[in-house]
């Protein structure tokens, strides 16, 4: 009597079996390896996490403690930026642990979404800060709705709502099955819809980058055209250099990631099919993503160096001179110093 064939002897195509691999189960035959990432990423993310938690905790404490009576639009944007950076670094311990370990599919997806929501929140809040500075410096006699505290609060809430709603489609995205599905934060094949959405986000980022360049070029031109005494010429050059700190950090942290993102998504769509290219893009994508997370540590540096009030507030707070802190935050500022003042 001829027995029924077992599943192993049916000769079925392996793709059917691959499709049934659970996202929660590790895959031992992943063709793309982490290589140096298994060492570099845990160390880098650990350093960023520690520095980010400390610096952003101090920033939030200073904003809450010392600016409650002098709330302005720029304070609202900077406080939300600090919140976004703080929440982002909270994701890093899980990214560190699950970088080399399989994890529950829903947990990995949620942590990934949470990470990107806060990363793009940082980008948009830097954009709002730059727009606020641009309008106040180039057109100081006009008052725009963004300068009103109530409107700035509405703008920040809209950013959070937009990003949360915008991330929801990625939870329902059906990825193509692959040999690396068991790994939490790893190369995943994408559907056409998912890949298109990712490339659309990259395109929006580059449009925002062009706005950044436009803002800061016009700010620099405005400062250069100001007629001030020879004694203040050196200070004006310092102010111009400080103006470009935000732009420099923005480009350093976020531009490499979005440049690499284009070929990386194409490889996820299998438009780029060479295995060696996919391996290289996987390594490059994870490294530049780590660089983007570094922004959470650099934003408090922006507060410190661009805002004289923030810098003096921190120094006086740690020295216990709370009365002097209150006095400093009540003083007015001149137009030339408005670039570095909150």
């Amino acid at each position: 009597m001829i027995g029924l064939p077992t599943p192993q002897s049916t000769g079925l195509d392996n793709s059917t079996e691959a499709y049934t691999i659970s996202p929660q189960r590790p895959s031992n035959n992943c063709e793309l390896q982490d290589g140096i990432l298994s060492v570099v990423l845990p160390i880098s993310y650990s350093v960023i996490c520690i520095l980010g938690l400390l610096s952003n905790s101090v920033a939030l404490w200073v904003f809450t403690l010392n600016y409650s009576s002098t709330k302005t639009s720029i304070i609202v944007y900077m406080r939300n930026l600090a919140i976004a950076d703080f929440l982002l670094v909270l994701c890093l311990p899980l990214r560190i642990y699950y970088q080399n370990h399989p994890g529950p599919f829903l947990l990995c997806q949620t942590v990934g979404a949470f990470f990107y929501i806060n990363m793009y929140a940082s980008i948009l809040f830097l954009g709002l800060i730059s727009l606020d500075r641009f309008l106040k410096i180039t057109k100081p006699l006009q008052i725009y709705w963004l300068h009103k505290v109530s409107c700035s609060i509405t703008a920040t809430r809209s950013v959070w709502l937009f990003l949360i709603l915008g991330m929801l489609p990625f939870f329902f995205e059906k990825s193509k099955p692959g040999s690396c599905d068991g790994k939490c934060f790893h190369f995943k094949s994408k559907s056409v819809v998912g890949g298109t959405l990712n490339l659309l986000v990259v395109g929006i980022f580059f449009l925002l980058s062009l706005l950044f360049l436009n803002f800061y070029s016009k700010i620099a031109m405005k400062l250069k055209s100001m007629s001030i005494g020879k004694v203040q010429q050196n200070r004006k050059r310092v102010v111009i250099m400080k103006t470009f700190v935000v732009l420099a950090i923005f480009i350093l942290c976020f531009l490499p990631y979005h440049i690499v993102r284009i070929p990386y998504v194409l490889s996820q769509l299998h438009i780029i099919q060479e295995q060696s290219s996919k391996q290289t893009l996987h390594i490059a994508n994870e490294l530049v993503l780590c660089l983007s997370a570094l922004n959470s540590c650099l934003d408090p540096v922006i507060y410190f160096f661009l805002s004289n009030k923030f810098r003096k507030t921190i120094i006086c707070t740690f020295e216990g001179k709370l009365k002097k802190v209150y006095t400093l935050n009540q003083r007015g500022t001149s137009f030339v110093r408005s670039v570095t003042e909150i």
Side-chain angles (χ1 to χ4, degrees):
M1 182 175 181
I2 301 176
L4 293 175
T6 63
Q8 290 80 5
S9 63
T10 58
L12 292 176
D13 183 62
N14 289 335
S15 61
T16 304
E17 183 180 356
Y19 186 80
T20 60
I21 293 177
S22 172
Q24 297 180 354
R25 188 170 57 194
S27 177
N28 295 324
N29 60 342
C30 180
E31 297 175 347
L32 300 180
Q33 303 301 320
D34 283 343
I36 62 172
L37 296 178
S38 59
V39 177
V40 173
L41 290 185
I43 295 175
S44 300
Y45 279 138
S46 297
V47 173
I48 293 173
C49 182
I50 294 172
L51 294 179
L53 284 175
L54 292 175
S55 58
N56 286 288
S57 296
V58 172
L60 287 172
W61 178 53
V62 171
F63 285 141
T64 303
L65 180 64
N66 300 306
Y67 291 109
S68 57
S69 60
T70 57
K71 185 183 292 184
T72 62
S73 59
I74 198 74
I75 290 298
V76 174
Y77 300 141
M78 295 178 81
R79 183 180 296 169
N80 278 269
L81 176 59
I83 291 173
D85 290 336
F86 183 82
L87 293 177
L88 185 144
V89 296
L90 291 181
C91 301
L92 298 184
L94 288 174
R95 289 194 71 95
I96 293 169
Y97 179 78
Y98 286 114
Q99 185 65 38
N100 295 314
H101 296 83
F105 179 70
L106 183 59
L107 175 63
C108 296
Q109 199 174 30
T110 302
V111 172
F114 197 69
F115 180 93
Y116 283 108
I117 285 174
N118 289 288
M119 186 182 85
Y120 282 101
S122 298
I123 293 174
L124 293 178
F125 289 137
L126 284 173
L128 288 172
I129 290 172
S130 300
L131 176 60
D132 187 277
R133 294 290 84 196
F134 166 73
L135 294 176
K136 287 181 179 177
I137 294 170
T138 59
K139 300 178 181 180
L141 300 180
Q142 300 183 33
I143 299 178
Y144 295 88
W145 69 273
L146 279 173
H147 296 156
K148 298 179 180 179
V149 173
S150 58
C151 292
S152 61
I153 292 175
T154 301
T156 54
R157 289 176 178 174
S158 299
V159 167
W160 287 114
L161 181 61
F162 170 76
L163 290 173
I164 292 173
L165 294 178
M167 192 58 64
L168 291 179
F170 292 96
F171 279 94
F172 300 97
E173 177 189 356
K174 293 183 178 180
S175 301
K176 295 181 180 179
S179 60
C180 301
D181 289 345
K183 293 192 175 183
C184 195
F185 303 111
H186 201 81
F187 181 96
K188 298 288 192 303
S189 298
K190 284 190 175 297
S191 64
V192 175
V193 175
T196 302
L197 289 175
N198 275 265
L199 293 176
L200 178 62
V201 171
V202 173
I204 294 174
F205 169 83
F206 283 118
L207 289 176
L208 183 60
S209 299
L210 292 177
L211 288 176
F212 260 77
L213 292 173
N214 182 53
F215 291 159
Y216 286 103
S217 62
K218 290 186 176 181
I219 288 174
M221 292 173 61
K222 180 69 175 182
L223 291 174
K224 286 183 178 180
S225 65
M226 290 173 55
S227 58
I228 59 177
K230 293 182 179 180
V231 179
Q232 295 185 352
Q233 285 293 338
N234 290 332
R235 172 162 180 78
K236 188 171 74 169
R237 283 193 290 269
V238 172
V239 169
I240 293 174
M241 291 178 61
K242 285 184 176 182
T243 302
F244 282 89
V245 169
V246 177
L247 180 62
I249 291 178
F250 178 86
I251 292 175
L252 171 67
C253 293
F254 299 122
L255 186 60
Y257 171 75
H258 288 87
I259 291 176
V260 172
R261 194 69 180 169
I262 297 175
Y264 181 75
V265 173
L266 294 179
S267 68
Q268 290 180 304
L269 293 171
H270 301 293
I271 296 175
I272 297 177
Q273 298 182 0
E274 294 80 3
Q275 197 66 24
S276 60
S277 298
K278 289 184 178 182
Q279 178 67 50
T280 301
L281 288 170
H282 167 61
I283 300 292
N285 179 76
E286 293 299 326
L287 290 177
V288 292
L289 183 62
C290 182
L291 185 61
S292 69
L294 180 63
N295 179 75
S296 60
C297 300
L298 297 181
D299 284 340
V301 176
I302 292 176
Y303 313 150
F304 189 85
F305 285 103
L306 293 192
S307 171
N308 188 45
K309 284 185 178 181
F310 186 89
R311 180 168 59 253
K312 290 184 177 180
T313 298
I314 289 181
I315 294 174
C316 292
T317 300
F318 280 102
E319 291 178 349
K321 301 176 181 179
L322 296 181
K323 290 185 178 180
K324 188 175 181 180
V325 167
Y326 179 80
T327 303
L328 286 171
N329 284 279
Q330 297 301 314
R331 291 178 181 175
T333 58
S334 65
F335 172 71
V336 175
R337 298 185 64 187
S338 64
V339 178
T340 59
E341 294 290 347
I342 291 176

